[in-house]
Amino acid sequence: MGVPEPSPSRPLRRRRLLRYGAALTVSCALAGYLVVRFGSDARQARTGCEVVSADGERDPYFFDAEQAVNAATIAAVGTSRGMPERAVTIALATALQESGLRNLDHGDRDSVGLFQQRPSQGWGTVAQIMDPVYSAGKFYQRLDKVDGYASLPLTVAAQKVQRSGFPDAYAQHEPDASLLAAALTGRAKAALTCESTVPDGAGDPSAVRAALIRDFGKGVLPGAPEARKKAAPAAATTTPSPVAATLAGAPARARTVVVPVTALRGAEEAEAGRRGWELAQWAVAHASVLHLSEVTYAGREWRASGTGHTWREVTTGEGAAGGAKGAAGPADVRIVTAP
């Protein structure tokens, strides 16, 4: 029978308890941080929007409806200025780092907006910077002046525009920004979807037209002078106007906005198809704020409910924007507001 080991002294037991307590406190704090940072945010994002890679080899990026609207606007402003996909990627990565793709009315010193631009540094007034179209336009304006920005590392290109105190931080957002840019410039087809439930309240086609013109410019709806006339007062808000109440229960045709996509041949046809997917996925990203129930393009359809929140193939009927399956060339994008 061995001799029992002496019990630890009281000071030693106290030190051990203190260590265990400290470790438990750190573990609880870390768990709480992970729930706040990733748990609740991830749950919210997974009920919002998702963008996937064209080859399916990269992890999808999950984000919420507010971020989707801002990302789509940033991309639309870029392509409307003739900026390449790389420029859109740089802009989206910058906004992800600076604001989390949220239009903040506060920041470091006098920084505000999606890109945390400072009025004191010549970016414009607070009211101007808080307009996502204006702030994105100013970002692209300065980026376009950076020689060879498309071939520069993203961190270098973004830093030449932003002059951030943490320039390397932009790199962490490049994978997600590239996924978003591929979808929102139309290169990746049916890559962006939103798990939007049926919108609460009727949509307004005039608000959809105004938002399209606000983000893409007047040329997005050729031959629609009534849309251009209404664009200025309606562009500041995405809230459906009172006319939406009169559309409740109206047939889908009366609630549909048709966005023309020119069908050409060869390489130009491919470019038109890319434009169509850009417009279609812009619409899905705006589904929650514009109260949309359906978006169709090139034989694919997204619905706010009833299709598993994915792009599904449609082959016949008026709902199929591309007409019958296999129809040659891209067709118009059809955006249907909620009744």
Side-chain angles (χ1 to χ4, degrees):
M1 183 174 180
V3 178
E5 295 183 1
S7 61
S9 64
R10 183 172 298 175
L12 179 58
R13 288 199 301 272
R14 184 180 297 112
R15 287 196 297 272
R16 287 178 177 175
L17 288 172
L18 288 174
R19 285 199 299 270
Y20 295 151
L24 181 60
T25 300
V26 171
S27 298
C28 290
L30 178 60
Y33 168 78
L34 290 173
V35 168
V36 172
R37 176 63 181 88
F38 297 104
S40 60
D41 284 354
R43 286 194 297 272
Q44 180 182 15
R46 288 176 185 272
T47 59
C49 300
E50 174 187 6
V51 62
V52 299
S53 62
D55 55 16
E57 295 182 357
R58 295 172 54 184
D59 291 336
Y61 173 57
F62 298 97
F63 52 116
D64 63 30
E66 177 188 357
Q67 293 170 307
V69 169
N70 290 327
T73 292
I74 290 171
V77 172
T79 58
S80 296
R81 286 172 165 260
M83 303 295 282
E85 183 181 332
R86 179 61 176 172
V88 175
T89 299
I90 295 168
L92 289 169
T94 301
L96 278 166
Q97 170 60 28
E98 297 292 348
S99 68
L101 279 174
R102 303 188 189 281
N103 199 23
L104 303 177
D105 62 359
H106 60 277
D108 179 47
R109 288 171 283 189
D110 59 337
S111 301
V112 293
L114 289 170
F115 297 91
Q116 290 291 279
Q117 295 156 336
R118 298 178 60 192
S120 63
Q121 300 301 308
W123 285 97
T125 67
V126 171
Q128 287 175 322
I129 296 171
M130 289 299 294
D131 175 2
V133 173
Y134 173 90
S135 62
K138 293 296 288 186
F139 181 89
Y140 288 120
Q141 183 182 62
R142 295 199 181 186
L143 179 65
D144 199 33
K145 294 179 180 179
V146 177
D147 290 337
Y149 71 83
S151 59
L152 293 174
L154 185 144
T155 53
V156 175
Q159 176 65 359
K160 285 182 177 293
V161 176
Q162 294 293 106
R163 306 296 183 188
S164 170
F166 304 95
D168 293 337
Y170 298 118
Q172 65 185 315
H173 302 289
E174 186 168 1
D176 295 334
S178 63
L179 281 180
L180 281 170
L184 291 170
T185 62
R187 179 171 62 83
K189 305 175 182 178
L192 187 150
T193 185
C194 292
E195 295 184 357
S196 173
T197 57
V198 176
D200 183 15
D204 182 355
S206 66
V208 177
R209 296 186 186 97
L212 281 162
I213 292 171
R214 176 199 63 204
D215 284 7
F216 290 99
K218 294 180 179 180
V220 71
L221 293 172
E226 73 283 0
R228 292 193 291 272
K229 183 178 179 181
K230 294 178 180 179
T237 178
T238 53
T239 303
S241 69
V243 74
T246 67
L247 292 170
R253 183 174 62 255
R255 297 182 280 107
T256 298
V257 175
V258 178
V259 188
V261 179
T262 304
L264 302 173
R265 295 189 177 278
E268 292 179 334
E269 180 177 323
E271 189 63 27
R274 178 167 179 163
R275 173 66 166 178
W277 279 112
E278 175 186 10
L279 291 163
Q281 293 180 122
W282 173 94
V284 172
H286 281 77
S288 62
V289 295
L290 292 175
H291 294 225
L292 307 182
S293 61
E294 299 176 30
V295 179
T296 55
Y297 177 64
R300 297 281 192 95
E301 176 186 60
W302 171 90
R303 288 188 179 183
S305 64
T307 58
H309 312 295
T310 61
W311 287 94
R312 70 177 184 90
E313 289 189 3
V314 288
T315 57
T316 60
E318 186 177 353
K325 183 177 181 180
D332 298 338
V333 174
R334 296 178 183 268
I335 303 170
V336 183
T337 60

